[in-house]
């Protein structure tokens, strides 16, 4: 795996931990898509994937209605991109 893929996952973890209302959601959305396109494989860096899952589950601000509409993409979740299914965060 290249360092770019690892950076994408680390950026997504940071954004999931720190996102709050008043901040643009563009970075968070971009991170979700970048994980799909160029992120590490799901069987690599399991500790970081776990940290990402935990960050998503623990940030109460990600419950915001408009943001939740973006974050819930069942068609992507069915393809294996579990971060688009908030039920999978826990």
């Amino acid at each position: 795996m290249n360092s770019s893929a690892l950076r994408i996952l680390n950026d997504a973890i940071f954004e999931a931990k720190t996102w709050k209302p008043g901040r643009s959601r563009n970075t968070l959305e971009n991170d979700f898509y970048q994980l799909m396109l160029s992120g590490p494989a799901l069987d690599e860096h399991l500790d970081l994937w776990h940290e990402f899952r935990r960050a998503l589950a623990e940030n109460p601000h990600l419950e915001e209605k408009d943001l939740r509409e973006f974050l819930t993409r069942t068609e992507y979740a069915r393809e294996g991109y579990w971060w688009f299914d908030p039920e999978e965060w826990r």
Side-chain angles (χ1 to χ4, degrees):
M1 184 200 58
N2 64 43
S3 63
S4 177
L6 187 57
R7 179 188 48 77
I8 289 167
L9 180 53
N10 279 308
D11 288 351
I13 292 167
F14 174 80
E15 202 59 33
K17 285 180 177 179
T18 63
W19 192 90
K20 60 185 176 187
R23 285 180 51 191
S24 171
R25 64 188 226 184
N26 292 343
T27 303
L28 184 62
E29 291 177 3
N30 185 58
D31 288 341
F32 268 53
Y33 286 127
Q34 285 298 313
L35 283 171
M36 286 176 66
L37 301 173
S38 303
L42 295 174
D43 61 351
E44 296 176 340
H45 301 284
L46 298 177
D47 55 329
L48 292 177
W49 281 112
H50 178 74
E51 185 178 350
F52 180 50
R53 188 182 302 262
R54 186 175 56 243
L56 291 168
E58 292 178 355
N59 186 338
H61 303 298
L62 299 181
E63 299 286 333
E64 183 179 277
K65 184 180 186 244
D66 290 339
L67 183 60
R68 186 55 70 115
E69 287 178 19
F70 167 77
L71 298 178
T72 305
R73 302 289 174 117
T74 55
E75 66 277 12
Y76 295 148
R78 279 192 301 266
E79 293 177 21
Y81 305 112
W82 58 261
W83 50 94
F84 281 103
D85 181 0
E87 294 299 318
E88 291 290 325
W89 299 356
R90 300 193 178 342

